[in-house]
Amino acid sequence: MENKEIQIGLFGFGCVGQGLYDVLNMSQGLEARIVKFCVKDKNKKRSIDASNFTYDKEDILGRKDLDVVVELIDNANDAFEIVSRAMKNGVNVVTANKKMLAENFSELYKLQQENNVALIYEGSAGGSIPIIRNLEEYYDNELLSSLSGIVNGSTNYILSKMQFDNLTYEDALREAQENGFAEADPWLDVAGYDALYKLILLIVHAFGVILKPEDVLNVGIQNIRIHDIYFAREKQLRIKLLAYARKENDKIRAYVLPHFVSRESELFNVNYEYNAIEVEGAFSDKQMLAGKGAGSHPTGSAVLSDISALTYNYRYGYKKLKKNGANGTAEGANGIVEDDFPLKCYIRFSNPESLKELDILSIEEEYRSAKTNYVIANVSFKSLFNLKGNKDTELFVCVVED
Ligand code: HSE
């Protein structure tokens, strides 16, 4: 692919697709052109001429002259079909679809090996932050012990707006959507699914293990109320939705949960749509990578960097995954995840009966008033799975760090 203009077939022209188009036009270094844009909605008003668009995916997948297929659509099932077809045709693929990647990782890993093609996806986690390539390449021989990060821009934006401007959760969510940070289905953001999918990808490249999204806990901020922000503020803490993974003695503790973060933490000042991932290694100790985690141009820039990487035949080496052998498949990862341990949490509720949804091991503090009730308690981690994807629960849970 060297020394010639790269021919791109693009699926999707939403927030990130438009971002890629803009940064591609403004960037100086890369000789690349989107030769066809495939989109779904014929009636949507778009910023470029209609003659650029096709509504038939065969107009891209059926072509033999494209160097790369870039997949930036919302629907994860359609995306998986597009990406697998392109790979089977021997075409390199760039995607930012974390849901599609996390839900089908073993299959996509196999397709890369079988068809000898690259599938790269820097834009899928941390937006503009070059985290995946760094975990894969820079930390390839480093014994990483943990990663902890803010990997969802929408929820961080909502939490910051509630924290600094006293906005209600609903108003802050609306602003996050207007700014193009949120997923088409914002439940994926607020319930912690988007962060979960990104965590699954980070774990592949940090620890060489493929976990299934259903086996990893995610609890989001959908039940947060201003009282929780007041509680944090009073104690000079901030609430952050963290994606967390720690590897110890061949066991991985992994989850997405709201946390109270203190001023001493590097993550305390990561606000609005900014993301940051702190990695800890045996030799390097703690390091943090930070940047804009959502939005049209920041994510478009990560996608552009992936396209550019293909010009020097870059592909992920999956060294850690290969080293782990059988454990490098989702099936082989059974038993790797630490499934139960006590976790100290703040739990806010209206109806005391709701606490029965969790297995509470011991209560350290209890507060009741006409406005709000909470306990600070040690909870069985396993029982927090009762809150995963649960639209009926009223509980807001936030990890209290010792
Ligand atoms: N909805 C995602 C977020 C977009 O808010 O972080 C970037 O992946």
Side-chain angles (χ1 to χ4, degrees):
M1 218 193 277
E2 271 150 284
N3 300 327
K4 77 167 184 74
E5 190 186 64
I6 302 160
Q7 310 286 303
I8 301 169
L10 174 66
F11 285 91
F13 199 62
C15 177
V16 182
Q18 176 77 56
L20 171 66
Y21 178 76
D22 294 344
V23 295
L24 191 57
N25 284 342
M26 287 184 278
S27 116
Q28 312 262 308
L30 187 65
E31 294 290 317
R33 192 167 65 91
I34 303 170
V35 291
K36 220 26 150 186
F37 300 66
C38 182
V39 291
K40 204 165 64 181
D41 187 350
K42 284 188 180 161
N43 300 317
K44 198 167 159 185
K45 217 171 161 307
R46 304 195 187 264
S47 62
I48 55 174
D49 195 79
S51 61
N52 289 294
F53 295 105
T54 175
Y55 306 94
D56 180 0
K57 58 182 187 299
E58 299 310 316
D59 285 347
I60 291 181
L61 294 175
R63 280 175 76 145
K64 300 252 177 283
D65 57 336
L66 296 177
D67 299 305
V68 49
V69 163
V70 178
E71 180 285 306
L72 300 173
I73 68 172
D74 277 328
N75 184 300
N77 295 334
D78 293 350
F80 179 60
E81 197 200 316
I82 289 164
V83 166
S84 338
R85 281 259 327 262
M87 289 165 83
K88 285 177 189 163
N89 287 345
V91 179
N92 292 327
V93 177
V94 172
T95 175
N97 200 317
K98 49 261 156 152
K99 185 172 194 284
M100 182 271 296
L101 289 162
E103 285 177 341
N104 302 286
F105 202 88
S106 293
E107 182 64 22
L108 292 166
Y109 176 64
K110 232 168 58 194
L111 283 171
Q112 289 172 76
Q113 318 297 316
E114 283 170 4
N115 298 289
N116 192 23
V117 287
L119 172 68
I120 49 178
Y121 39 83
E122 192 61 69
S124 63
S128 64
I129 308 171
I131 181 68
I132 294 179
R133 259 186 267 167
N134 270 307
L135 290 174
E136 183 62 40
E137 308 300 339
Y138 184 83
Y139 296 106
D140 63 341
N141 292 309
E142 171 72 278
L143 301 172
L144 289 179
S145 54
S146 75
L147 57 92
S148 172
I150 296 166
V151 293
N152 181 267
S154 303
T155 47
N156 206 37
Y157 183 88
I158 294 168
L159 292 168
S160 302
K161 279 283 172 181
M162 292 179 79
Q163 168 81 33
F164 302 125
D165 300 343
N166 292 319
L167 247 63
T168 62
Y169 167 79
E170 288 75 16
D171 286 345
L173 170 59
R174 198 170 317 112
E175 275 196 21
Q177 288 175 296
E178 282 163 10
N179 283 316
F181 305 146
E183 297 301 300
D185 174 6
W187 174 253
L188 295 176
D189 293 302
V190 298
Y193 282 95
D194 179 79
L196 167 72
Y197 301 138
K198 291 165 177 170
L199 178 64
I200 299 275
L201 299 176
L202 298 180
I203 289 174
V204 168
H205 293 278
F207 302 131
V209 175
I210 302 170
L211 300 179
K212 291 183 186 166
E214 57 269 32
D215 294 337
V216 180
L217 177 73
N218 59 296
V219 176
I221 62 156
Q222 68 273 25
N223 291 339
I224 196 168
R225 294 292 169 263
I226 205 73
H227 296 295
D228 307 314
I229 300 285
Y230 294 156
F231 174 89
R233 213 183 267 164
E234 208 170 89
K235 298 194 159 27
Q236 303 197 348
L237 301 167
R238 284 184 187 157
I239 298 173
K240 298 287 177 193
L241 182 65
L242 298 191
Y244 176 84
R246 170 170 287 278
K247 189 168 176 227
E248 218 172 291
N249 304 326
D250 288 332
K251 282 273 180 193
I252 294 179
R253 184 177 284 201
Y255 56 74
V256 173
L257 276 168
H259 277 233
F260 289 112
V261 169
S262 74
R263 201 173 282 280
E264 284 72 51
S265 165
E266 297 283 353
L267 299 171
F268 186 84
N269 285 318
V270 177
N271 295 313
Y272 300 104
E273 74 270 35
Y274 278 83
N275 283 191
I277 298 116
E278 192 172 67
V279 294
E280 194 172 351
F283 313 121
S284 56
D285 209 341
K286 282 189 179 170
Q287 293 185 312
M288 192 172 83
L289 287 92
K292 283 196 172 165
S296 178
H297 286 179
T299 314
S301 80
V303 176
L304 182 73
S305 174
D306 275 350
I307 297 168
S308 170
L310 289 176
T311 64
Y312 50 88
N313 300 320
Y314 180 77
R315 59 183 63 182
Y316 301 129
Y318 295 109
K319 272 191 238 164
K320 295 170 206 172
L321 202 55
K322 286 177 182 157
K323 202 165 142 208
N324 282 344
N327 289 342
T329 65
E331 288 64 38
N334 278 342
I336 284 181
V337 177
E338 199 180 347
D339 58 1
D340 205 11
F341 48 89
L343 197 62
K344 192 158 136 189
C345 297
Y346 157 99
I347 308 160
R348 206 246 318 119
F349 56 95
S350 301
N351 181 357
E353 282 294 300
S354 306
L355 288 178
K356 291 190 179 151
E357 290 168 36
L358 297 176
D359 182 4
I360 294 183
L361 307 171
S362 61
I363 294 184
E364 293 199 358
E365 198 182 317
E366 196 160 357
Y367 177 85
R368 305 270 172 118
S369 78
K371 285 192 179 146
T372 184
N373 307 315
Y374 69 80
V375 292
I376 293 181
N378 288 301
V379 182
S380 138
F381 175 76
K382 208 176 191 168
S383 72
L384 289 167
F385 273 86
N386 293 336
L387 309 185
K388 181 176 166 113
N390 184 340
K391 289 190 173 165
D392 298 324
T393 184
E394 59 139 335
L395 298 178
F396 174 71
V397 171
C398 190
V399 176
V400 178
E401 292 175 354
D402 282 318

